[in-house]
């Protein structure tokens, strides 16, 4: 974590923030209000349920496809499934941000930000807004239409301020991306104070090299020989095959095999496997089925005599891929099947003319993927102040508290990785 003290947070250092006139807002609790009444016409439309997302699915996906920053988690299928299965009661809301009306009164969707408001965080009695994250979140970059990024950012910040938010937290977005640049430009122009509360790197794959050259450039010869030895040893156990597909002829069977394989391992022993939690299982099944129907599901696996020993579920987004979950058969842990699968995936992705980059979605310092994927994606999290009178001192206090919390979590993660051995789990 770096840059935590980079931005001043004492009142009077930046320009005095003007009181923002609130944008017009319409709230939809369910789809029927849209389908059987007039379509919403406001600067911000707030969706309170997965059902309310339904009539906007096509527009949301068109928005996602237009964004410079890709985020599969806020596309309609995944967002709706998360709201249905992963949120606490009345937690998440979705702010749809719209352009000014044109001459015919029509508006263009220019942004989408799922969010929730909390009170009592770190002892704060004031409302803090957070871009919504859940147990399976790996990126939280808001969707902003290309060319409208600053307008969308201003609209959301004005909406949050008008609703009484003392702070807005934007977690886990790509540093240097379109959202980051738009947010910083708006804050600089409008005199908004902020504090970066986290910055870390995670494994990323993007290269012009072919498979052989990439492995030679980034993995020591001795280590490559060891991986080849493990592959050959595993192949002695039976017919070892590597396969890639989009879910096959029966995507439900793929999902069930993946969930079963994950549940056989340490997650199953601890009761945290998705198969053992009805809501998480339903979420995974729904997003895989939806991605399969949309043509964005990407599946890779190692099989031994036709039985999976390692499986990876990923999602395409534009010319990128997000690797979501990996599972492996712990009976073959001595052969590191998860690592062997990810090594095979390098060549697969580098040869795919539809793929420019692959995000591991892994935790920083991952003990497996960090050693075989050489590139890095920098992720950032930020607290942004509002005109609320206690916003600036509150930002300083919470940034300090989060810094201490992150340091403690890092120490626990190191201990956890040591206990888990080679750490074949790709993304928690």
């Amino acid at each position: 974590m770096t840059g935590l003290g980079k931005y001043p947070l004492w009142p009077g250092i930046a320009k005095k923030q003007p009181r923002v006139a609130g944008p017009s807002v319409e709230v939809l609790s369910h789809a029927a209000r849209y389908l059987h009444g007039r379509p919403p016409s406001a600067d911000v439309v707030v969706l309170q349920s997965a059902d309310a997302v339904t009539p906007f699915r096509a527009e949301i996906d068109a928005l996602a496809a237009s964004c410079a920053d890709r985020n599969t988690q806020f596309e309609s299928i995944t967002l709706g499934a998360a709201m249905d299965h992963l949120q606490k009661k009345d937690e998440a809301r979705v702010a749809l941000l719209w352009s000014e009306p044109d001459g015919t009164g029509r508006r263009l969707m220019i942004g989408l930000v799922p969010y929730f408001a909390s009170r009592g965080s770190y002892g704060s009695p004031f409302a803090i807004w957070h871009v919504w994250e859940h147990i399976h979140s790996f990126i939280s970059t808001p969707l902003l239409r290309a060319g409208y990024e600053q307008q969308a950012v201003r609209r959301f910040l004005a909406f949050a301020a008008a609703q009484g938010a003392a702070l807005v937290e934007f977690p886990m977005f790509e540093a240097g991306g379109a959202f980051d640049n738009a947010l910083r430009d708006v804050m600089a122009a409008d005199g908004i104070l902020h504090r970066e509360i986290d910055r870390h790197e995670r494994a990323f794959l993007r290269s012009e090299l072919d498979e052989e050259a990439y492995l030679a450039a980034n993995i020591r010869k001795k280590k490559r020989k060891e991986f080849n030895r493990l592959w050959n040893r595993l192949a002695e156990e039976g017919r070892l095959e590597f396969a890639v597909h989009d879910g096959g002829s029966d995507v439900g069977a793929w999902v069930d095999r993946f969930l079963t394989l994950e549940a056989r391992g340490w997650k199953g022993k601890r009761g945290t496997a998705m198969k053992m939690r009805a809501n998480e299982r339903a979420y995974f099944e729904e997003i895989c089925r939806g991605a399969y129907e949309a043509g964005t599901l990407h599946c890779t696996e190692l099989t031994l005599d036709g039985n999976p020993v390692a499986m990876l579920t990923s999602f395409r987004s534009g010319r990128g891929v997000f690797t979501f979950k990996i599972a492996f058969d712990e009976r073959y842990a001595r052969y590191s099947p998860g690592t062997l699968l990810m090594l095979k995936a390098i060549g697969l992705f580098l040869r795919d003319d539809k793929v420019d980059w692959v995000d591991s979605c892994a935790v920083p310092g991952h003990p497996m993927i960090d050693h075989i994927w050489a590139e890095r994606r920098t992720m950032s999290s930020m607290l942004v102040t509002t005109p609320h009178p206690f916003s600036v001192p509150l930002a300083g206090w919470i940034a300090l508290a989060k810094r201490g919390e992150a340091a403690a979590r890092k120490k626990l993660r190191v201990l956890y990785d040591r206990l888990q051995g080679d750490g074949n789990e790709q993304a928690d």
Side-chain angles (χ1 to χ4, degrees), residues 242-247 254 288 291-292 295-301 312-316 320-325 345 348-349 352 355 358:
F242 171 74
V244 56
H245 52 84
D246 62 357
W254 158 266
C288 288
Y292 174 77
T296 57
L297 182 63
H298 189 282
C299 308
T300 48
E301 57 186 325
L312 175 68
T313 302
S314 307
F315 300 101
R316 295 181 182 270
V321 174
F322 292 94
T323 67
F324 181 52
K325 288 290 178 181
L348 173 73
F349 289 128
D352 192 332
V355 174
V358 187

Side-chain angles (χ1 to χ4, degrees), residues 247-265:
S249 58
D250 186 351
V251 68
W254 158 266
V255 171
D256 189 62
R257 289 200 308 275
F258 185 95
L259 291 170
T260 299
L261 187 63
E262 183 192 57
R264 283 193 196 135

